[in-house]
């Protein structure tokens, strides 16, 4: 049994989905795609990892709606955020900070589409994130 859930929304490129599934496999976490469901029983999880793309400067509306609908429950849990985006470097970091502030999730990382990939085809930055999540 796992204490970690990865809850994500992905758009056409499926970058977030691929990254979410990779992180979940590495951490032994459960995944939930907000495309299919909005009500998720989070009782058994102490750590929630949220994944979203950024389109036109904004996170997925499905993610925003999910967070707004679950503020009370999430306030009792450890929450982390990963973002898949095209911006890298300072621009990516600034965008990540803006989105992390708007979503109220300070523990945020971003994985630029063009970042170096590991053998699974996922950003190598995700491996550093996984290592940190394992603590
Ligand atoms: C219409 C559109 C708008 C986008 N706008 C942004 C943006 O404002 N900032 C950014 O960093 N990336 C932007 N991107 C890139 C996506 O965030 C990036 O490709 C991400 O990995 C998509 O994840 P997904 O394939 O799971 O949807 C945009 C992509 C599209 C198609």
């Amino acid at each position: 049994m796992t204490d970690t859930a990865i809850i994500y929304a992905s758009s056409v490129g499926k970058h977030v989905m691929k990254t979410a599934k990779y992180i979940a496999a590495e951490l032994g976490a459960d995944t939930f795609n907000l495309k299919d469901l909005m009500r998720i029983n989070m009782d058994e999880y102490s750590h929630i990892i949220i994944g979203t793309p950024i389109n036109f400067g904004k996170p997925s509306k499905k993610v925003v709606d999910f967070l707004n609908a679950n503020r009370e429950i999430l306030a009792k849990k450890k929450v982390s955020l990963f973002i898949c985006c095209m911006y890298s470097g300072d621009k990516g970091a600034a965008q990540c900070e803006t989105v992390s502030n708007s979503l109220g999730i300070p523990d945020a990382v971003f994985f630029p589409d063009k970042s170096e990939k590991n053998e699974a085809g996922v950003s190598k930055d995700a491996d550093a994130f996984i290592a940190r999540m394992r603590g």
Side-chain angles (χ1 to χ4, degrees):
M1 199 164 115
T2 176
D3 67 349
T4 304
I6 303 185
I7 300 174
Y8 68 94
S10 212
S11 45
V12 282
K14 305 271 187 283
H15 290 112
V16 176
M17 180 186 284
K18 185 173 182 178
T19 307
K21 288 187 173 167
Y22 175 75
I23 295 170
E26 291 294 310
L27 292 178
D30 293 337
T31 55
F32 298 91
N33 185 347
L34 292 174
K35 178 170 176 257
D36 307 320
L37 32 91
M38 276 301 281
R39 294 175 76 89
I40 299 167
N41 183 347
M42 291 182 278
D43 290 354
E44 69 181 89
Y45 306 111
S46 57
H47 186 192
I48 306 293
I49 300 175
I50 302 287
T52 183
I54 303 292
N55 290 334
F56 304 112
K58 294 201 159 52
S60 161
K61 185 173 183 306
K62 291 192 175 76
V63 164
V64 174
D65 289 348
F66 175 80
L67 292 173
N68 286 336
N70 292 280
R71 285 274 166 222
E72 245 174 78
I73 300 160
L74 290 169
K76 298 186 195 116
K77 302 192 185 278
K78 178 182 174 192
V79 183
S80 307
L81 172 72
F82 78 85
I83 288 165
C84 290
C85 59
M86 68 183 169
Y87 294 156
S88 56
D90 290 348
K91 202 170 173 182
Q95 176 178 254
C96 180
E97 196 183 342
T98 302
V99 170
S100 122
N101 287 340
S102 78
L103 296 179
I105 307 175
D107 181 18
V109 291
F110 66 104
F111 306 139
D113 292 347
K114 286 188 178 151
S115 53
E116 206 183 324
K117 303 292 190 295
N118 61 22
E119 59 290 341
V122 170
S123 169
K124 283 189 172 175
D125 298 343
D127 289 319
F129 176 72
I130 289 161
R132 185 161 69 76
M133 292 297 110
R134 285 197 181 112

